[in-house]
Amino acid sequence: MSIVVNKAGDTFHLYNDEISYIMKVLPNEQMGQLYFGKKIRPKEDYSYLVETHMRPMSSCVFDTDKNFSMEYIRQEYGVFGTSDYRMPAVEVLQENGSRISDFRYCGYRIESGKPKLSGLPATYTEDASEAETLVVELKDPVSKMSLELFYTIFAEGGIIARSARFLNEGEQDLHLTSAMSLCMDLPDSEYDWLQFSGAWARERYLKTRRLQQGIQSVGSMRGNSSHNHNPFIILKRPTADEFQGEAIGFSLIYSGNFLAQAEVDTYDAARVLMGIHPSGFDWKLESGEEFQTPEAVMVYTDRGLNHLSQTYHKLYQKRLARGYWRDRERPILINNWEATYFDFTEERLVKIAKQAKESGIELFVLDDGWFGKRTNEKAGLGDWVANPERLKNGITGLAQRIEDLGMKFGLWFEPEMVNKDSDLYREYPDWIIQTPNRRTSHGRFQYVLDFSRKEVVDRIYEMMAKILSEAKVSYIKWDMNRSITECYSATLPADRQGEVYHRYILGVYDLYERLTSRFPEVLFESCSSGGGRFDPGMLYYAPQGWTSDDSDAVERIKIQYGTSYCYPISSMGSHVSVTPNHQINRNTPLYTRANVAYFGTFGYELDLSALTEEEQEEVKEQIKFMKQYRRLFQFGTFYRLQSPFEHNISAWMVVSEDKKTAIVGWHRVLNGINLPYTRLHLQGLDEDMLYSVSEDDAAHYGDELMHLGMITTDASSGQDEANMRQDYDSRLYILKAVEGGNLS
Ligand code: DGJ
């Protein structure tokens, strides 16, 4: 990895073994984007890449030049209003009402490693040799706003991490009304746009369309990154697929309002913008004040979407997630939500835990309903003190009883919320987000606490820290069950109300930071009515997240498959629940529920006594199996093989680092009869290694399994009683290197 500055001092080339990223100071002193893609050799001059052709109707920068227009020149951080008409990366409202900026190059610095982003989650290095950061320094001579553009290149992977920092060096007040984390002007628009969208219980479905002239975007203005759209998009060449071809990923490490957009201009160049959603955003910078944008991570590959995803997985698993649990196998848990909902007593919980312990489960998680007057969704949020009518010995007593069983104890919180029927609300009715003289909408009868206020965060921190320091709590599920409406903070002045959404998220991050640093061994799982805030920002604090409230195995195949485009398997909370499934009323076989849930953190969302004895024995076997292969599932290299968005049969697999073990998950939604011959082309194996394959007596070499395929034919279900299969079927194929079977 290296950052090369040419002799003239106006061209920067960041490269490693996989990628090159090149930019140049333009004649008008703004920064031009020249190239992001597969590695090319360093060279003194790439000026030929600045395309300055005469274009009728374009507005030109220099009096004497008819060819130089920002309208079509590709830039690093485009600004509106000085001949560029595309959506800008930044907009600064000045005291005279002007929104025009002209950020001119002033200098650069190179730092080894990667600087921290104050108050924000970001990727990091453990050793300075892992990455290098170029900081390009710019300044607008009129408003005196200075801008630093950060570019980190990692030694490994086609990754560029970007962010921007603003500093008001002038005397007047300035308002940032748009401040993107990245702007990327690509030279053409021959791309498919991939987004990960959906709704509650069907999060991160893959949706694809061809880029077209004009703007296409996804985003959130709900205060959380949302179920509806994920802060992640991919642009891939139309001919690229999972296994080959060019693609670029754009991922925002942020949990609040976001925008991800591509604008294809008149000349078919494509500008990608990603950052905090500018709608409703207005950040005031008084003289001497700074603003730091969240970080966006771009990944380039010419080896297909699996490789792109694996690059994100590795980076987010190892250099975004942090702490004690980052590299550790995650405990197999049982959560009481779908088992009891609000209807439980201490004795009922202990009974569930006891049986779970006998099955080999390691962690018991008490979900919603243990605190204040929370016996239904209308009361109690905000009162983080155990309800003595339900838990006579408090959380401390219950946690001890669970520990005495030989299990760990985990607890649910929804720290950002309050019900009006709560002591906290009665004491501080002005602590919620609400706009004066307007109706305040509720979601699930709850209101959002104003986390932009430090005293609010302090109070919640005190309540949570008290429980965590008194009771043996090893895990926290941090839920967030509604979006923000009527956004307004009682303590901010009128000209800072555009800061509330972002200040809110900074408050959430602050609480996470305080709790995770004071209780470093507690495992945090983020949640937002399932996957409503499943984003990289959360991963920095909570190495796993509840992927979706939909626990049906068939639904989960799509949800987990879609989620895997950006997020590692170790981050996906996945549980086995009862049938008929509580969300969709579907009956899937117990083995399929487990076969899907293994590809995640794994746990159970049920009362085991609701299962037959035979099923309980099956559960014991599942847990034994997961314990045996958990490291492989959670930390192996994951490959998508066949998409559930396109096929009745889908498949994925994990491969161990030494390639000696692999597990293939195969799922078929509807059964068929007298079916065709089928093979599955595996990935990531060692071509020369001989593998035994479960479900098959013979052994096969890696090259056979990958190139010729693994036979998966199941010809005559329904006619062949001995091999009768069913709907919602699944199989796991376990591949193991045969001792002495390596050809190389
Ligand atoms: C939504 C979560 O996604 C569920 O798992 C559960 O914790 C409920 N909230 C509890 O209210």
Side-chain angles (χ1 to χ4, degrees), residues 554 557-558 561 640-652 664-673 675-681 710 712-715 725-726 728-731 733:
V554 174
I557 296 168
K558 282 188 181 156
Y561 201 93
R640 290 176 298 271
L641 301 178
Q642 198 158 293
S643 172
F645 297 106
E646 292 168 17
H647 303 278
N648 184 43
I649 293 175
S650 61
W652 53 36
V664 179
W666 174 100
H667 328 104
R668 179 170 58 200
V669 180
L670 293 181
N671 197 8
I673 192 154
L675 293 164
Y677 296 108
T678 51
R679 293 174 186 197
L680 197 55
H681 293 264
M710 179 175 78
T712 52
T713 307
D714 163 18
R725 309 296 302 188
Q726 59 186 320
Y728 318 130
D729 198 6
S730 67
R731 295 177 214 156
Y733 295 87

Side-chain angles (χ1 to χ4, degrees), residues 263-290:
E263 177 173 4
V264 178
D265 72 14
T266 330
Y267 304 109
D268 282 349
R271 167 170 293 178
V272 178
L273 292 177
M274 184 171 242
I276 294 177
H277 204 302
S279 183
F281 174 79
D282 180 344
W283 195 277
K284 182 178 174 186
L285 287 179
E286 292 179 10
S287 177
E289 284 183 344
E290 280 187 10

Side-chain angles (χ1 to χ4, degrees), residues 385-679:
V385 179
N387 176 349
E389 283 166 29
R390 296 185 148 200
L391 305 174
K392 52 183 186 306
N393 304 304
I395 289 299
T396 314
L398 175 62
Q400 191 57 55
R401 287 184 74 181
I402 302 294
E403 285 264 335
D404 292 345
L405 293 176
M407 294 175 93
K408 295 289 171 199
F409 177 75
L411 194 58
W412 180 96
F413 284 93
E414 196 176 359
E416 298 151 72
M417 299 293 157
V418 70
N419 287 115
K420 286 198 172 171
D421 186 1
S422 69
D423 292 342
L424 188 75
Y425 181 80
R426 281 183 280 273
E427 197 177 343
Y428 302 106
D430 71 330
W431 273 15
I432 62 171
I433 289 187
Q434 58 189 334
T435 303
N437 309 318
R438 303 229 174 244
R439 196 197 298 269
T440 307
S441 315
H442 73 93
R444 206 192 186 199
F445 307 104
Q446 63 193 54
Y447 297 84
V448 185
L449 285 169
D450 184 355
F451 264 40
S452 75
R453 292 168 65 173
K454 187 169 173 304
E455 67 274 26
V456 178
V457 177
D458 285 348
R459 178 65 190 268
I460 301 298
Y461 169 75
E462 279 158 25
M463 286 192 264
M464 292 178 76
K466 186 167 183 317
I467 291 180
L468 292 183
S469 43
E470 288 172 1
K472 289 189 178 145
V473 178
S474 306
Y475 160 107
I476 283 185
K477 178 175 172 187
W478 178 320
D479 206 346
M480 195 274 188
N481 286 307
R482 63 156 291 187
S483 300
I484 295 175
T485 52
E486 294 87 24
C487 185
Y488 189 94
S489 175
T491 49
L492 284 174
D495 62 354
R496 286 196 180 272
Q497 289 300 328
E499 300 174 14
V500 181
Y501 279 116
H502 182 56
R503 284 186 185 275
Y504 175 86
I505 283 295
L506 293 180
V508 172
Y509 290 152
D510 176 34
L511 182 58
Y512 256 119
E513 186 65 40
R514 286 197 238 173
L515 289 168
T516 49
S517 19
R518 174 144 170 218
F519 304 100
E521 290 189 14
V522 172
L523 171 61
F524 281 74
E525 176 154 346
S526 72
C527 173
S528 174
S529 290
R533 206 163 59 182
F534 199 106
D535 57 58
M538 285 290 118
L539 266 188
Y540 186 67
Y541 306 97
Q544 59 191 59
W546 184 223
T547 319
S548 175
D549 269 350
D550 198 332
S551 60
D552 173 76
V554 174
E555 299 302 303
R556 273 300 187 114
I557 296 168
K558 282 188 181 156
I559 294 167
Q560 292 172 209
Y561 201 93
T563 304
S564 80
Y565 279 88
C566 186
Y567 304 99
I569 299 306
S570 60
S571 70
M572 290 187 220
S574 52
H575 301 169
V576 173
S577 60
V578 290
T579 50
N581 174 268
H582 288 192
Q583 291 78 40
I584 199 164
N585 210 21
R586 183 182 280 144
N587 287 299
T588 52
L590 183 53
Y591 63 85
T592 291
R593 283 173 267 158
N595 285 350
V596 176
Y598 291 138
F599 289 81
T601 59
F602 198 67
Y604 290 80
E605 186 95 11
L606 45 71
D607 180 348
L608 287 168
S609 65
L611 305 185
T612 63
E613 265 177 38
E614 209 182 0
E615 285 173 325
Q616 289 175 17
E617 287 310 308
E618 197 176 333
V619 164
K620 284 186 190 156
E621 290 308 312
Q622 292 172 350
I623 291 165
K624 230 189 268 166
F625 174 78
M626 184 58 180
K627 285 181 180 168
Q628 186 182 351
Y629 291 107
R630 157 163 61 181
R631 177 149 291 280
L632 171 59
F633 279 119
Q634 294 175 352
F635 298 97
T637 307
F638 178 80
Y639 291 86
R640 290 176 298 271
L641 301 178
Q642 198 158 293
S643 172
F645 297 106
E646 292 168 17
H647 303 278
N648 184 43
I649 293 175
S650 61
W652 53 36
M653 70 185 287
V654 279
V655 184
S656 66
E657 207 180 332
D658 63 7
K659 303 192 175 188
K660 287 190 171 161
T661 320
I663 299 181
V664 179
W666 174 100
H667 328 104
R668 179 170 58 200
V669 180
L670 293 181
N671 197 8
I673 192 154
N674 198 14
L675 293 164
Y677 296 108
T678 51
R679 293 174 186 197

Side-chain angles (χ1 to χ4, degrees), residues 166-182:
F166 295 87
L167 168 64
N168 181 356
E169 294 187 17
E171 294 306 316
Q172 61 169 309
D173 289 348
L174 298 172
H175 284 259
L176 270 174
T177 56
S178 175
M180 289 292 126
S181 299
L182 76 77

